[in-house]
Amino acid sequence: MGLKGFAEGGIASIVAGCSTHPLDLIKVRMQLDGEKPALPNLRPALAFNGSSSVVAPESFHIPPPQPPRAGPISVGVRIVQSEGVAALFSGVSATVLRQTLYSTTRMGLYDVLKTKWSDPNSGNMSLTRKITAGLIAGGIGAAVGNPADVAMVRMQADGRLPLSQRRNYAGVVDAITRMSKQEGISSLWRGSSLTVNRAMIVTAAQLASYDEIKETILEKGVMKDGLGTHVTASFAAGFVAAVASNPVDVIKTRVMNMKVEGGAAPPYKGALDCAMKTVKAEGAMALYKGFIPTISRQGPFTVVLFVTLEQVRKIFNQF
């Protein structure tokens, strides 16, 4: 297979990523919904009747009212109304770069490992090996594509910030350049452990389940190898990937999007701290925020990915 597997996977991934980008943007906005904004450091001074006694703010707590959670359709409508239709494609340049780096690497590596580990007689490999190949390919791909992933999350989330706090990146190159200058090169790999963990889960769930379901359908004679089989196997694979990865995806989005001011402590110390603060403030189900748009995106994304991949393979096999 060699480089052909990388090219096939890269083309299919870019097509799938661009066509489902608005759904991914809505998912990111929903995952950030409920996150506490950074507050200025105010010095309280509350005295009664000339007394010198001061009531410290930590001595009392008034929980803020929880706004009703908006669904993906209402979030999408709100984005269009407040920011315009073009806002649904905010960060699409970062998506193209991310798919070029991350997905090309993971799809190509999975194809290489699949070729090496498959049974020479049947051409299939065990589910355990498929999952292992997915974990390895996903982890390496995520490490390569993390800078584009950070840029994509920030560009997608920018519209929800007040005008004075928006980063207003001109594009993915501007985002990566400014992050490097203002926050250091290490900021490009912020949340990388989460990205790698998520990518390993998604790739193992997505690619392994697609191959396994497709092989089962063909072996049982349920359908022939064609569009129906590809759509069925890919949608099922997308659902498996969404369920497995959503909690990690929520934490990854929040860690990557956090704004670190000079001299101030960051909102989250790391992935575990972010998870604990999220669950404490918003409940355990907050880890499944954005699940509807996640599955709404993972389903079409995975379908477009594998249907395009199968067609690209047919074209490439002619050469």
Side-chain angles (χ1 to χ4, degrees):
M1 254 320 156
L3 295 175
K4 194 164 79 166
F6 287 88
E8 292 169 349
I11 292 169
S13 298
I14 291 170
V15 171
C18 290
S19 59
T20 59
H21 183 82
L23 293 171
D24 193 49
L25 183 139
I26 290 171
K27 177 203 72 175
V28 167
R29 295 288 182 92
M30 289 184 72
Q31 288 175 340
L32 292 171
D33 185 42
E35 189 178 34
K36 292 180 180 179
L39 296 174
N41 187 17
L42 301 177
R43 184 179 178 183
L46 181 61
F48 297 96
N49 299 326
S51 171
S52 60
S53 61
V54 175
V55 180
E58 59 269 18
S59 63
F60 60 89
H61 175 68
I62 302 175
Q66 292 293 322
R69 291 183 179 178
I73 295 175
S74 59
V75 170
V77 170
R78 190 170 64 203
I79 291 170
V80 172
Q81 288 177 339
S82 60
E83 303 169 49
V85 176
L88 292 174
F89 285 90
S90 297
V92 73
S93 60
T95 290
V96 173
L97 180 60
R98 178 178 180 269
Q99 297 299 339
T100 302
L101 297 175
Y102 160 61
S103 286
T104 300
T105 303
R106 73 178 183 122
M107 298 289 284
L109 282 177
Y110 181 82
D111 203 60
V112 169
L113 294 173
K114 183 180 174 182
T115 302
K116 288 188 175 183
W117 292 353
S118 292
D119 184 273
N121 298 319
S122 65
N124 297 336
M125 66 176 175
S126 66
L127 180 59
T128 304
R129 286 190 172 186
K130 287 171 187 166
I131 293 172
T132 304
L135 292 171
I136 294 170
I140 295 173
V144 171
N146 201 83
D149 208 3
V150 177
M152 183 184 72
V153 167
R154 290 190 174 197
M155 291 171 74
Q156 288 177 334
D158 212 35
R160 69 185 285 274
L161 296 173
L163 288 172
S164 60
Q165 295 181 23
R166 290 184 186 178
R167 300 175 174 105
N168 295 317
Y169 296 130
V172 63
V173 175
D174 180 49
I176 291 174
T177 303
R178 282 170 54 187
M179 278 190 284
S180 301
K181 290 180 179 178
Q182 297 170 4
E183 303 172 51
I185 296 292
S186 61
S187 67
L188 298 178
W189 275 269
R190 180 173 293 155
S192 59
S193 61
L194 288 163
T195 307
V196 169
N197 289 336
R198 177 191 177 276
M200 291 172 73
I201 293 169
V202 168
T203 305
Q206 197 179 61
L207 302 187
S209 58
Y210 174 78
D211 279 348
E212 189 71 16
I213 293 166
K214 179 185 170 184
E215 289 168 12
T216 302
I217 290 173
L218 296 177
E219 286 173 3
K220 301 292 183 183
V222 178
M223 286 185 281
K224 294 181 179 180
D225 190 3
L227 185 61
T229 299
H230 302 158
V231 171
T232 302
S234 57
F235 192 83
F239 181 79
V240 172
V243 171
S245 66
N246 204 88
V248 180
D249 201 25
V250 171
I251 303 306
K252 175 184 78 78
T253 297
R254 294 191 172 195
V255 170
M256 285 183 168
N257 187 60
M258 69 177 177
K259 200 163 189 176
V260 182
E261 302 289 350
Y268 308 117
K269 296 176 183 176
L272 183 60
D273 181 52
C274 180
M276 291 176 67
K277 284 180 177 177
T278 299
V279 171
K280 186 177 180 181
E282 304 167 53
M285 287 310 295
L287 297 177
Y288 273 91
K289 274 191 172 183
F291 179 74
I292 298 300
T294 294
I295 187 58
S296 298
R297 178 200 176 258
Q298 278 284 5
F301 176 88
T302 312
V303 169
V304 174
L305 172 67
F306 286 115
V307 169
T308 305
L309 180 63
E310 298 285 2
Q311 299 307 310
V312 171
R313 279 176 178 167
K314 286 181 181 179
I315 296 171
F316 274 45
N317 286 337
Q318 295 174 4
F319 297 98

